[in-house]
Amino acid sequence: MLHLHTDSVLEVTVHSAHGLQKVERLGKNDPYVRLSVDVDNSKQYDKFKTEVKSNAEDPSWEQSFDIREISDKHTDLFVEVLDQDKGADAPIAYTAIPLNQVKEANGQSLSARFDLYNKHGVAQGEISLTIRIVQPGQESSGRITYDGNFQKAESRVDEEQKKRFKKLVLKETASDVGAAAAIGGLFAAGAGLLAGHNKKAEEAKKREQALAEDQ
């Protein structure tokens, strides 16, 4: 049990990610990370979000967030990695990090590498984070920069997060299908206009030939 006070602050520094699945059809991923302590809280995911790293295979962010109003009901930190796109952003990976290991860590601060998971729940890639629990009256001990030597810590597949992630995948797929249909419609409309133009040109040519024969 964490025994967190309602005024506790969860400090999270997102360092970097490695081994991410490529989801861009052309070019490299444009990845970003978002965080929440409530598995399906879209507003929180949108609030605690890193910047986008363009064309990055192994992105590095070094961005920190203070998640406030946490309590004992918040047992995990939920992490999502997405690829920014013109339509719906493409989900890359996700993970749930049990916060009890942060509480048990020295100084209630844990700097580690965590497994990420794809839509099938299979480990694919890693993310490096520093997570601190700051209780009321305590001060932050400062931010840590990833030096490439963090040890592996526990992360897991949360079934509710897995369902959420699959919905994100379906949303992105539907967006791609819609975009493809729109492009197809434009091509079809263009082809129709061209066919109509060619038909009118052919009819005009026939009329010219008929007039010439009459003369």
Side-chain angles (χ1 to χ4, degrees):
M1 183 68 70
L2 286 176
H3 299 300
L4 294 175
H5 192 278
T6 53
D7 291 331
S8 297
V9 177
L10 190 69
E11 295 183 346
V12 183
T13 299
V14 181
H15 298 294
S16 58
H18 302 277
L20 297 177
Q21 178 185 2
K22 184 178 180 296
V23 296
E24 281 282 359
R25 290 170 179 78
L26 298 173
K28 299 177 181 179
N29 292 339
D30 301 319
Y32 66 92
V33 177
R34 58 189 189 184
L35 313 167
S36 178
V37 292
D38 294 313
V39 66
D40 208 25
N41 189 334
S42 296
K43 289 184 178 179
Q44 197 167 81
Y45 283 112
D46 290 339
K47 181 177 181 180
F48 301 110
K49 181 168 64 175
T50 69
E51 63 186 11
V52 176
K53 293 295 182 179
S54 299
N55 297 318
E57 290 184 352
D58 294 319
S60 177
W61 292 278
E62 297 299 338
Q63 283 185 255
S64 299
F65 305 90
D66 291 344
I67 304 177
R68 300 181 182 275
E69 298 182 359
I70 59 173
S71 65
D72 284 341
K73 71 176 183 178
H74 299 126
T75 58
D76 295 272
L77 173 68
F78 299 100
V79 181
E80 295 179 348
V81 186
L82 293 93
D83 169 63
Q84 187 182 59
D85 208 342
K86 291 181 180 179
D89 293 344
I92 300 174
Y94 68 96
T95 195
I97 299 172
L99 292 177
N100 61 347
Q101 61 188 325
V102 181
K103 181 76 172 180
E104 296 164 0
N106 183 31
Q108 297 185 11
S109 176
L110 176 65
S111 295
R113 296 178 290 112
F114 303 90
D115 279 334
L116 292 166
Y117 301 91
N118 62 21
K119 64 182 179 180
H120 302 295
V122 177
Q124 188 165 37
E126 293 182 338
I127 190 165
S128 298
L129 306 172
T130 292
I131 308 171
R132 288 192 183 91
I133 297 173
V134 181
Q135 304 286 17
Q138 291 181 325
E139 293 184 2
S140 170
S141 57
R143 307 298 186 186
I144 292 176
T145 301
Y146 178 53
D147 62 2
N149 294 315
F150 290 170
Q151 298 298 310
K152 198 76 166 286
E154 180 188 356
S155 63
R156 65 185 184 87
V157 174
D158 177 89
E159 289 303 317
E160 289 301 312
Q161 188 182 22
K162 185 178 180 181
K163 291 177 184 177
R164 169 188 165 81
F165 191 81
K166 287 184 175 180
K167 288 180 182 178
L168 294 175
V169 172
L170 289 173
K171 180 179 179 182
E172 190 269 337
T173 301
S175 175
D176 281 353
V177 170
I183 293 172
L186 288 174
F187 277 118
L193 289 172
L194 181 60
H197 176 76
N198 290 340
K199 184 177 181 180
K200 289 181 179 179
E202 184 66 25
E203 289 175 350
K205 185 176 180 181
K206 287 180 179 179
R207 286 196 296 269
E208 291 176 0
Q209 289 175 347
L211 287 172
E213 291 174 357
D214 288 344
Q215 292 176 355

